[in-house]
Amino acid sequence: MAFFLTLLRSQLFARLPYPATSFEGQTVVITGSNTGLGLEAARHIVRLGASRCILAVRTPAKGEAAAASILSSTRATTDAIDVWPLDLSSYDSIKAFGKKLQTLDRLDAVIQNAGVLTSHWKVEPGLGLESHVGINAVAAVLVGLVALPKLKETARETGTTTRLAFVGSDLHFIAAFKEAENEGPLLDVLGDEKLANMGDRYSTSKLLLHYAVQELAARSPLGKGADVLITDVTPGACESDLFRDEKGSLQAFIQSILIKLMARTTEVGSRALVHGVDPHLGPEAHGRFLMDCKVVE
Ligand SMILES: NC(=O)c1ccc[n+]([C@@H]2O[C@H](COP(=O)([O-])OP(=O)(O)OC[C@H]3O[C@@H](n4cnc5c(N)ncnc54)[C@H](OP(=O)(O)O)[C@@H]3O)[C@@H](O)[C@H]2O)c1
């Protein structure tokens, strides 16, 4: 009950500030930025003067269309946007992406935004893991890990705080995570279709992500000087393509009504993503969960 009141308050009354901090001279990577929240976050960051915004997407043609859309709505020139391939369903793709990141002159911020939601059981062949666990938790963290060395190097060389934001969800507050009551290694238990509660799996994957972000931040503490600030941010409920697999069911119909009544636009939700990598974000946000552009957990 407390969660639903918090959610209602957030969705109906919170006002997310329009991003205004300059990203001038900075290189920023945003995964899953061909559509939805990632695309709108990229649009803000390009508008705010980033010298290089890298759209890391699994379908390059969709990335090129997103780049064209950003160029048509900002004053940026083509050299401000790159499209790089990244498929979070494949360890090989994440490794190749990590190697490519090392070739950059600098890397100031990464928004690990790509994610999925579905009620159908599927194992990602390139990961050997169920989709939510694989993409939203394990691959998301791996993307962060392959980006960290370059983020640390840039922090050292520029004397600034670089930023790594993971896009989580407030639904992690109500994850039942019943699978954890079973014996055995966690990934094996979560990989057993017979034990899976698919209605809860998305929330559980975002809870796992949250735990992983806390652990990552603890293992990469902020030093006195320049370092990498790591956050877990929620955009709140937004009207996007996230529910694309769910169309047609009664649950989807009810969800679509709730979304129409309460959801933010992806532009408004994306402000939370940009806030998660704001150059002025303070050390109190390190390893924490940010909702409505505020530290809440
Ligand atoms: N919308 C909400 O209400 C809400 C609320 C809380 C948190 N979030 C989180 O916000 C993030 C963005 O969601 P969204 O609402 O903008 O949804 P969306 O419109 O469906 O965008 C998801 C993005 O992730 C990409 N993606 C999915 N699987 C991928 C993979 N295996 N490899 C690479 N990219 C992949 C998609 O690429 P394709 O277009 O190629 O499929 C798309 O670019 C997600 O992490 C989601 O969990 C959303």
Side-chain angles (χ1 to χ4, degrees):
M1 188 61 181
F3 168 75
F4 288 105
L5 288 177
T6 305
L7 186 71
L8 270 183
R9 206 177 308 123
S10 161
Q11 292 296 131
L12 300 178
F13 303 114
R15 294 281 167 266
L16 274 53
Y18 193 71
T21 312
S22 171
F23 280 75
E24 212 166 299
Q26 303 203 3
T27 297
V28 182
V29 168
I30 306 163
T31 71
S33 40
N34 53 285
T35 187
L37 292 155
L39 169 59
E40 296 311 320
R43 201 187 303 281
H44 277 303
I45 283 169
V46 170
R47 172 182 60 78
L48 292 165
S51 29
R52 199 165 177 197
C53 181
I54 298 171
L55 312 180
V57 299
R58 64 174 156 181
T59 311
K62 289 188 193 174
E64 295 298 345
S69 155
I70 296 171
L71 286 173
S72 70
S73 63
T74 60
R75 292 181 186 174
T77 50
T78 47
D79 55 332
I81 308 176
D82 278 323
V83 176
W84 284 13
L86 173 64
D87 184 353
L88 270 74
S89 308
S90 154
Y91 290 123
D92 290 342
S93 176
I94 297 169
K95 271 196 257 175
F97 176 71
K99 273 199 183 143
K100 205 167 173 189
L101 286 178
Q102 297 313 310
T103 67
L104 289 171
D105 293 339
R106 63 187 288 163
L107 179 58
D108 298 273
V110 173
I111 303 177
Q112 174 15 64
N113 160 75
V116 287
L117 182 153
T118 173
S119 53
H120 306 293
W121 175 267
K122 185 185 166 203
V123 172
E124 299 295 333
L127 299 174
L129 296 167
E130 185 278 323
S131 302
H132 296 87
V133 173
I135 296 168
N136 296 353
V138 175
V141 173
L142 290 177
V143 167
L145 286 174
V146 299
L148 258 182
K150 197 70 193 182
L151 287 165
K152 280 186 182 286
E153 181 189 293
T154 303
R156 261 194 323 271
E157 288 177 356
T158 60
T160 60
T161 298
T162 55
R163 290 87 56 206
L164 170 59
F166 293 88
V167 181
S169 168
D170 32 86
L171 288 177
H172 87 237
F173 288 125
I174 52 161
F177 196 16
K178 290 267 186 211
E179 292 94 332
E181 292 167 12
N182 294 284
E183 300 270 314
L186 191 56
L187 285 182
D188 290 353
V189 170
L190 290 167
D192 186 340
E193 186 177 359
K194 293 189 293 302
L195 301 176
N197 173 2
M198 291 311 288
D200 181 63
R201 187 49 73 95
Y202 173 80
S203 311
T204 289
S205 70
K206 295 292 187 180
L207 179 64
L208 293 172
L209 175 68
H210 182 57
Y211 289 150
V213 171
Q214 287 179 324
E215 186 61 29
L216 204 56
R219 288 176 189 227
S220 180
L222 281 181
K224 283 219 174 84
D227 227 317
V228 187
L229 182 69
I230 302 173
T231 55
D232 180 14
V233 304
T234 180
C238 302
E239 199 168 5
S240 74
D241 283 343
L242 191 63
F243 300 93
R244 64 185 94 173
D245 273 7
E246 304 306 299
K247 290 189 178 123
S249 67
L250 177 63
Q251 192 192 350
F253 178 67
I254 296 168
Q255 259 165 2
S256 69
I257 294 176
L258 286 177
I259 282 186
K260 283 268 175 263
L261 289 175
M262 295 199 332
R264 297 171 175 159
T265 63
T266 47
E267 184 285 307
V268 172
S270 76
R271 299 177 191 180
L273 276 57
V274 179
H275 176 260
V277 294
D278 188 306
H280 295 159
L281 198 59
E284 68 285 353
H286 190 57
R288 309 291 294 279
F289 186 65
L290 277 60
M291 183 174 181
D292 299 333
C293 301
K294 291 184 192 114
V295 174
V296 293
E297 189 186 30

